Amino acid sequence: MKKLNPAICVWVCRLVMVALFPSMASAQEQKDSISGMVHQLDAVTVTARRMPAKITSATSVQVLRKEDLKNLGLQNMGDAVKRFAGTNVRDYGGIGGLKTVSVRNLGAAHTAVSYDGVAISNTQAGQIDIGRFSLDNVSNLSLAIGHDDNLLQSARLFASAGVLNIETEKPHFENGRSTFTQVQLRGGSFGYFTPALRHWQKLGDNTRLSVDANYLRADGSYPFSLKNGSLVTEEKRINSDVESWQGEVNFFHTFQDDSELSAKAYYYKSERGLPGAVILYNSASDERLWDENYFAQARYKKVFSSKWSLQAQGKYNYSWNKYEDLGPQYTGGKQTDTNRQKEYYLSASALYRPIDWLTFSLSQDGAINKLHTNGLNSPEPTRYTSLTALNARIQTKQLKVSGTVVATYITEEVKAGNTPEDRKRLSPTLSASWQPWEEEQFFVRALYKNTFRVPTFSDLYYLRVGNTNLRPEKATEYTLGLTWSGTPFSFTDFVSLTVDGYYNEVKDKIIAFPSTYVWKMQNYGKVHITGIDVTLATAIPFGNKVNLNLSGNYSWQKALDVTNKEAKNYKHQLPYTPEHNGNVSATLEMPWVNIGYTVTMVGKRYYLAQNIEANEIEGYNEHTATLWREFKWKKCGLRLQAEIINLTDAQYDVIKYYPMPGRSWRLTGTFNF
């Protein structure tokens, strides 16, 4: 009989202890005279200016609400995330192009993506394609540098350098309704067409169900200008088509003891062409990619008393993809690679507040990841991961101090080849927020965070390039910031400002490095990153029915390679890292029509390690304009929206030789009943 891996025993025992301890401790507490009773309180309406979350948080938190996402005419998740200061979104062009996010240049593998509170993983490549998630059902999109103030979350989120939180909209019913249905049709340039359906159903006083589904297709054949010295020709992007299906079902139930259960079943399938790099006199592009992903996840939350709370999560994830390329260089004229990933994930978190100003939490995660490929002598790796996060927070009226220690233990098994050594590490975090004057919404905040990312399956095992002796890539963050919100002018509702300066270090950076006659993944790189993020927002009312909302952010960043003093690129800016970038947006809400306008500005970058003129990519400005109007008839509603993306028809690349679309349009009609 096969011996059970010891890592499984370790994290299962920890999960059980974390899950059971609050209930045992709560049972010992003396119940007060109103325990177990339900009291109906009279409704009270409070009108006040809502304090932005990013102002009071001890760490940098940026938020986009549902209305922001719609009103600004944002096309996809990548476009939305680009609006956050300190982010670097790599976009490989086209509607179906891969989009990954990196926080303050620490790398996409250091950034966690949370979908309704449960982390998404990709052990094979270590980075999440955020382009596959729809914006249509998102109620709140936020980015936290370090982690946010919520202590009742999984250890996987505490272990990341930054967290992108995607929260979908929960069913809510008004005027005694028990159902809600929304049909949306969207069409635009380059064969873009997306129908979507949403249905909410009340199954009882405490039970709700939601269903979301959408289909997307586009030929992606957009024009672009190709420069060859002084010669400029007009070309069209080829093999850039995409077709995808996405759907999810969500279940929400509140028990009689006010505990909450939510469950999600998600499915995604796509086929797309990979247009490839634009090469002079060679327009051939035959690569294609098929993706399929489904997962089921559940989350349970219980508040035992004013002192004890518990959250438990579970998830099963299956991901499959196939890559195909045609060419005479392959045997039989075709190369086909298939990969299949599976993950089993459990998490339990307990929160204890012994006194009003002191809070502790303990989170325990366990995961099993498996990878199967069709390659010869595939190692078929299985990874067992245990993550434990212990947190403590002291909070008074004007001071908030939080400390976290994450313990990581990872072991692996392979069917062929060498097995890497077990990895064990402690990663500390310390954050603080201080309000010098109680009557002023002015805060000073600071963060120290140490994280690391474990080599991916591709880093370790990919053909002859993989290296099972790789060490984890380590990152250290230092941040000092100021936040303020107030009403300095009588004509504004509020003004909020945040300024964060930071310094990051990345050691043992994992890169492909030539060794003898082949390339090998090695711990070679060392990077120092210095930067400043600034955000500003305000709202200006013009009477009772006209409002102007303004917001913007700016980032300055120096990300320097300090690996080798003798190298030609020593202290040069990292590839694809602009020194300056930012965006400005405005929405004007009026009774007859609403207008949105946003400008994204990115400075020059270099696509290779040396910062020389030959490697330079020009900066660009992208303008987007939006018009929308809502109509209501009794219980029905209609929203019509028109957008012009890249209004000035700017020609630019995010990744060199992958031209982005020029001017395009989009029309959206949303009918709900």
Side-chain angles (χ1 to χ4, degrees), residues 339-356:
N339 301 281
R340 185 172 67 243
Q341 295 184 72
K342 293 182 180 180
E343 180 182 66
Y344 307 88
Y345 172 76
L346 290 173
S347 174
S349 305
L351 184 145
Y352 175 53
R353 185 179 292 109
I355 49 182
D356 290 342

Side-chain angles (χ1 to χ4, degrees), residues 417-438:
N418 298 325
T419 303
E421 294 183 356
D422 294 349
R423 301 173 184 89
K424 305 173 184 178
R425 186 174 176 85
L426 292 176
S427 303
T429 299
L430 183 64
S431 64
S433 176
W434 176 49
Q435 185 182 11
W437 304 282
E438 188 174 351

Side-chain angles (χ1 to χ4, degrees), residues 254-296:
T254 303
F255 296 93
Q256 291 184 352
D257 60 357
D258 290 333
S259 59
E260 298 176 348
L261 173 66
S262 62
K264 179 192 295 288
Y266 173 93
Y267 180 76
Y268 174 85
K269 185 177 182 179
S270 71
E271 178 185 352
R272 71 187 76 184
L274 302 179
V278 173
I279 302 174
L280 290 172
Y281 312 116
N282 183 7
S283 60
S285 183
D286 299 310
E287 299 171 287
R288 297 198 69 80
L289 181 67
W290 291 261
D291 282 295
E292 186 174 22
N293 175 228
Y294 59 81
F295 63 78

